[in-house]
Amino acid sequence: MESGDGALSATSLDESITSFFTSAPPLKESDNLRERVMEFVELNSTIAAAGDGGHRKVVCVTSGGTTVPLEQRCVRYIDNFSSGHRGATSAEYFVKAGYAVVFLHRRGTIMPYTRSLPEDPLLECLELDGDSSIRGLIEFLSLITHTSPHLPQAVAGNLLLKLPFTTIFEYLQMLQIIAKAMKPLGPLAMFYLAAAVSDFYVPWQTMAEHKIQSASGPLDMRLVQVPKMLAILRKEWAPLAFCISFKLETDSKILLEKADMALRKYKMHMVIANELLTRKEEVTVVTVDGKIPVYRDKSQPDSDVEQPLTELIRNKHSTYIKNTNR
Ligand code: 9Z3
């Protein structure tokens, strides 16, 4: 059953969530993934940190777009746009600020500490000597450490756990495992959901097994709404975690209203509203207390909007921890 705004009622939402998970192709090596995340969370949560509850905070940053396969032996799929820049850049700032980061990212999108490298770093940095030996490795390494000064901090401190996904089925199953593993952290856990998540999918059992044949004429296919997992993340998976979701629109007239709706409906602590064309210049942080515009500092050529955005979020997260522990 649908409510007025096209969303599902609470009972149908529960049903559609159950049906999504029971019919999804089982996640490969899910036990191994669960163990890795739990180990990462445990390791970091026992490390003392200044302020905020005395322990290191852990953020799950999601990044990149999910795909919707059209065939079980997938040749074709529908994709959601996201380069991964927002997630990767934000992850770097969170590590710099002392957070441990679970980086749930679309395979092949931008990774933390690589955004300033040339597109093809190996071929552009390495040169063949006359005798066919390769030169330039030292220059390559120095380029990496120069463009990513906080990389050693992430590596040495075991502050970054990178977990790749491709499909919407993998993404939501992985998010569930991560959220449940982070639940014991209470308010020290944060979710920063920048991934562009598919709104519609083809249920596995109704999906063609083999490559769809073009000789059969026009393609007629029914896509089902992906149940919004934000509500269950807040209610069950990690109820005390600080939750931030993103709202992307191309029409500025509806952006803030939609962000506000998501904030209230899914009980997010913040929704970051952004427009596709201006997303690298400005975003609006929507909270129950009001809307805060955040801009990239245009006077600095290498600046980005993620720096002031993550700073604001860290401050709000600290206040939330203090208020929750009271
Ligand atoms: C975003 O809005 C991200 O900021 C972008 C970042 C995907 C625009 P890039 O990766 O772009 O730097 O190229 N992400 C959330 C998009 C989304 O799917 N939100 C859902 C919605 O709008 C809510 S969960 O309905």
Side-chain angles (χ1 to χ4, degrees):
M1 189 201 296
E2 295 209 342
S3 67
D5 61 357
L8 296 163
S9 73
T11 347
S12 338
L13 179 65
D14 288 348
E15 278 166 18
S16 66
I17 289 175
T18 312
S19 132
F20 180 90
F21 282 119
T22 50
S23 65
L27 188 65
K28 287 192 190 105
E29 300 195 26
S30 60
D31 289 342
N32 178 271
L33 172 80
R34 191 173 294 105
E35 261 171 47
R36 285 177 64 201
V37 181
M38 285 172 71
E39 208 176 283
F40 182 79
V41 169
E42 256 169 51
L43 175 81
N44 281 294
S45 62
T46 50
I47 290 174
D52 299 343
H55 290 289
R56 191 175 272 170
K57 288 164 278 185
V58 181
V59 58
C60 169
V61 173
T62 70
S63 184
T66 58
T67 67
V68 169
L70 300 185
E71 296 127 345
Q72 290 182 353
R73 302 186 190 198
C74 183
V75 175
R76 304 184 186 92
Y77 56 86
I78 301 172
D79 207 349
N80 254 54
F81 167 79
S82 166
S83 67
H85 184 274
R86 173 88 74 226
T89 311
S90 306
E92 290 178 27
Y93 285 117
F94 284 125
V95 166
K96 189 178 169 195
Y99 277 78
V101 177
V102 179
F103 188 64
L104 179 59
H105 65 278
R106 164 76 179 275
R107 246 180 219 97
T109 53
I110 299 177
M111 297 298 284
Y113 309 107
T114 63
R115 65 195 152 106
S116 336
L117 293 178
E119 237 176 59
D120 198 350
L122 262 187
L123 292 184
E124 280 183 45
C125 296
L126 298 184
E127 290 165 30
L128 272 189
D129 253 348
D131 61 354
S132 293
S133 62
I134 289 176
R135 275 196 293 121
L137 199 56
I138 307 259
E139 286 83 350
F140 178 57
L141 290 175
S142 101
L143 178 66
I144 292 179
T145 38
H146 178 71
T147 51
S148 313
H150 302 288
L151 178 62
Q153 189 185 352
V155 177
N158 198 10
L159 287 171
L160 186 60
L161 178 65
K162 295 175 287 181
L163 303 172
F165 67 81
T166 302
T167 68
I168 180 73
F169 300 114
E170 289 170 340
Y171 173 78
L172 288 175
Q173 292 181 83
M174 290 171 84
L175 184 63
Q176 182 184 34
I177 288 174
I178 295 166
K180 288 182 170 176
M182 285 173 62
K183 184 177 181 178
L185 296 171
L188 292 181
M190 172 155 80
F191 289 84
Y192 181 89
L193 305 167
V197 183
S198 323
D199 280 326
F200 302 99
Y201 75 112
V202 184
W204 193 253
Q205 63 281 14
T206 65
M207 198 185 291
E209 181 187 350
H210 293 283
K211 180 171 171 256
I212 298 164
Q213 294 300 310
S214 55
S216 324
L219 181 59
D220 196 0
M221 185 173 273
R222 190 177 156 77
L223 300 182
V224 174
Q225 233 179 337
V226 173
K228 284 283 179 200
M229 301 291 172
L230 299 180
I232 191 168
L233 169 70
R234 287 286 289 121
K235 212 168 89 190
E236 285 176 25
W237 295 350
L240 286 178
F242 192 66
C243 286
I244 301 154
S245 71
F246 280 71
K247 178 49 87 184
L248 173 66
E249 292 294 343
T250 53
D251 179 356
S252 60
K253 290 194 283 301
I254 59 168
L255 176 62
L256 292 181
E257 187 196 329
K258 298 276 281 200
D260 215 46
M261 247 164 61
L263 182 81
R264 286 161 210 283
K265 189 153 171 222
Y266 306 119
K267 299 193 168 55
M268 291 288 105
H269 296 99
M270 290 175 165
V271 175
I272 316 297
N274 58 171
E275 236 188 284
L276 188 66
L277 288 179
T278 56
R279 71 189 191 285
K280 292 196 172 180
E281 299 300 319
E282 61 176 279
V283 299
T284 304
V285 177
V286 179
T287 71
V288 280
D289 300 323
K291 299 181 175 58
I292 312 162
V294 178
Y295 301 97
R296 179 177 81 81
D297 179 357
K298 292 193 182 74
S299 67
Q300 303 295 320
D302 290 335
S303 65
D304 48 55
V305 71
E306 285 79 11
Q307 196 264 327
L309 174 64
T310 52
E311 191 177 327
L312 187 146
I313 288 173
R314 284 191 283 114
N315 290 335
K316 298 273 183 200
H317 187 203
S318 287
T319 312
Y320 173 75
I321 293 169
K322 281 189 200 101
N323 292 341
T324 313
N325 283 336
R326 214 174 261 161

